[in-house]
Amino acid sequence: MIILKHSDDWKGTGLAVDSVIRLHKLVSIPQSLIKRKLGTINLPTQKEIEIRIRQLFGIR
């Protein structure tokens, strides 16, 4: 999923550049390794990501 700088999904994210959410490369890392927050995504984009993850894992 791509979030382009000039799209409606971009507004309010706090991201500095066009961004990609790679749903096919999910990883789990300890919270202690997270240095800073890069940005946020809006609710419609969050819901779209949830739908795609559910599809990826065959969850209803």
Side-chain angles (χ1 to χ4, degrees), residues 1-56:
M1 174 176 261
I2 300 171
I3 301 177
L4 299 173
K5 194 170 187 175
H6 300 292
S7 71
D8 289 338
D9 291 336
W10 180 269
K11 296 174 185 170
T13 63
L15 298 169
V17 296
D18 293 344
S19 300
V20 176
I21 300 170
R22 294 183 177 191
L23 299 175
H24 64 285
K25 291 191 174 191
L26 298 178
V27 297
S28 177
I29 61 170
Q31 190 171 1
S32 61
L33 293 179
I34 299 173
K35 302 293 182 191
R36 64 186 171 96
K37 182 177 178 177
L38 296 176
T40 59
I41 51 175
N42 62 28
L43 189 57
T45 303
Q46 288 178 29
K47 291 198 178 288
E48 179 66 26
I49 290 169
E50 181 181 345
I51 290 167
R52 291 186 186 194
I53 289 174
R54 287 179 178 275
Q55 289 173 342
L56 182 66

